[in-house]
Amino acid sequence: MINAFRTYNPLNILWLAVLLFVLRAGYVYSAPPTLTFTYLEPFARLLAPGTYTYVFPPAINIFLAGVIVFGQALLVNRLVNQYNLLGKPSFLPALMYIVLTGLFTPFLVLSPPLICGFLMIWMFYKLFALYKADDAKSITYDSGMIVALGSLIYFPFIYLFLAIWVSLILYRPFNWREWVIGIMGYGTIFFFLAVAYYLSNKLHIFKNIWTPLTTAFPTHVNINYYNYLVLLPVIVMLILGSISLRQVFFRSYVQVRKSFQLLFAVLLITGLSFYVKAQFSLTHFLLCVIPLAILFAYYFLYAKVRWFYESLFIILLASIIYFQFNTF
């Protein structure tokens, strides 16, 4: 299967759709009778009065989530090929994205982090363009606005503002105006939110928006470790992908090296920002999928021992399907 996606063949789009269906169809039978989807944080609902919570039958919810994942997979694939991050075009980034977004059953339904995936992709397009940009101020301003929009949908997205500064460190010589204008872009969105609070006579509680940022980082999270056995092949792929990338890292183009450093920084930022939400939720880690999908695509594109990498991928697929029907 991996070998088929190593080539840039448009027919692979059809196989991606088939795989998407296979990885999600089983959950329809064990999902709750109804699934609720809320697309805005409570503090942002003054900007969108009316209905912001939708209740769907499980089949409809999972279908809509699948359509979103399919679109995002193709956008991620286009992003990787446009900036030549893997050295040659393929459909492996899209394949890895679809597989990783099927790891856990909470990933299979509509959720704010899933919607924020579009904003993350848009942001990566902006940040990767910094390397050759003559003037970075418009890019950083737009990126600040993207982060602000994402934090209205899912508040932990606010930490991705750090990715803007990381990208400026990696891609640009220091210019304090470029660092400040990102803050201005973020503040533009929240200025309109403050106006909405003012017109509603609620400006005195506007400062409470930032209270979750003062939450202490947890020292313990109650989880059932048996439900995370599916991560074993993922961890193996992560290790092998890191080794594969390290072997050729300093022989790669400068832009590619810096782009992978940015992806690693985003992986750390998104992985560690889960604690901002009061209730632990696996859906948060959908924000980690894009950098992981690109790293795994890199490994599978250059892996040499076919029986091993094909077997590893089949084990991952089998684990995902098995754990959809078995909980411990």
Side-chain angles (χ1 to χ4, degrees):
M1 180 178 290
I2 293 295
N3 271 11
F5 287 92
R6 280 180 161 185
T7 60
Y8 194 70
N9 185 350
L11 184 62
N12 286 330
I13 296 176
L14 175 61
W15 291 115
L16 287 172
V18 172
L19 182 62
L20 183 79
F21 175 80
V22 170
L23 290 177
R24 284 156 174 78
Y27 182 57
V28 175
Y29 297 100
S30 57
T34 58
L35 293 168
T36 302
F37 169 58
T38 303
Y39 70 88
L40 275 181
E41 290 284 3
F43 67 80
R45 291 169 188 171
L46 289 176
L47 293 177
T51 302
Y52 44 81
T53 299
Y54 297 92
V55 179
F56 295 105
I60 300 298
N61 189 301
I62 295 169
F63 172 77
L64 293 175
V67 170
I68 290 173
V69 166
F70 190 73
Q72 290 175 349
L74 296 181
L75 289 173
V76 170
N77 202 79
R78 183 177 181 274
L79 171 73
V80 173
N81 292 332
Q82 178 175 325
Y83 288 97
N84 198 30
L85 297 185
L86 302 185
K88 54 185 177 181
S90 72
F91 271 98
L92 284 174
L95 174 66
M96 293 298 111
Y97 188 85
I98 284 177
V99 171
L100 291 176
T101 52
L103 272 176
F104 301 106
T105 52
F107 286 9
L108 305 180
V109 299
L110 291 172
S111 64
L114 180 62
I115 303 301
C116 285
F118 284 115
L119 297 176
M120 279 194 72
I121 296 168
W122 187 13
M123 192 172 170
F124 275 124
Y125 271 103
K126 293 285 186 182
L127 298 182
F128 287 159
L130 280 173
Y131 182 73
K132 295 183 178 180
D134 295 327
D135 184 7
K137 291 191 285 291
S138 62
I139 294 176
T140 52
Y141 183 83
D142 292 345
S143 299
M145 292 184 69
I146 293 171
V147 174
L149 289 172
S151 57
L152 297 180
I153 299 170
Y154 183 64
F155 190 65
F157 198 85
I158 190 175
Y159 277 104
L160 277 171
F161 190 89
L162 297 175
I164 302 175
W165 285 346
V166 171
S167 62
L168 289 173
I169 293 172
L170 292 172
Y171 292 130
R172 309 286 299 182
F174 179 75
N175 183 335
W176 67 269
R177 294 178 181 85
E178 295 174 355
W179 286 63
V180 172
I181 203 166
I183 300 175
M184 294 173 61
Y186 188 92
T188 299
I189 300 297
F190 273 81
F191 170 77
F192 289 108
L193 181 61
V195 170
Y197 270 74
Y198 173 76
L199 295 176
S200 302
N201 294 319
K202 296 180 179 179
L203 191 59
H204 61 284
I205 62 173
F206 182 73
K207 64 180 184 297
N208 295 338
I209 293 174
W210 320 108
T211 302
L213 297 178
T214 63
T215 305
F217 194 83
T219 58
H220 179 71
V221 178
N222 293 320
I223 58 176
N224 186 343
Y225 293 99
Y226 289 106
N227 290 331
Y228 298 89
L229 293 176
V230 70
L231 289 177
L232 291 178
V234 173
I235 294 172
V236 173
M237 290 179 186
L238 180 61
I239 295 171
L240 293 176
S242 301
I243 294 173
S244 177
L245 180 62
R246 180 179 178 275
Q247 290 173 344
V248 298
F249 185 76
F250 293 104
R251 300 200 300 269
S252 304
Y253 292 110
V254 174
Q255 182 178 8
V256 173
R257 294 204 303 265
K258 291 180 180 294
S259 297
F260 272 101
Q261 289 174 324
L262 175 59
L263 289 168
F264 178 71
V266 169
L267 180 62
L268 288 179
I269 292 168
T270 53
L272 295 176
S273 59
F274 70 91
Y275 75 96
V276 176
K277 298 292 282 187
Q279 185 176 3
F280 176 76
S281 174
L282 276 174
T283 56
H284 170 85
F285 296 98
L286 280 167
L287 299 178
C288 302
V289 168
I290 294 176
L292 283 176
I294 297 173
L295 176 62
F296 290 1
Y298 189 94
Y299 164 69
F300 282 111
L301 186 61
Y302 293 103
K304 302 297 184 183
V305 185
R306 181 174 180 179
W307 69 265
F308 179 78
Y309 65 73
E310 291 282 7
S311 299
L312 183 61
F313 184 70
I314 294 300
I315 290 172
L316 176 60
L317 292 182
S319 300
I320 291 172
I321 296 172
Y322 175 79
F323 280 96
Q324 284 183 12
F325 292 95
N326 293 272
T327 56
F328 298 92

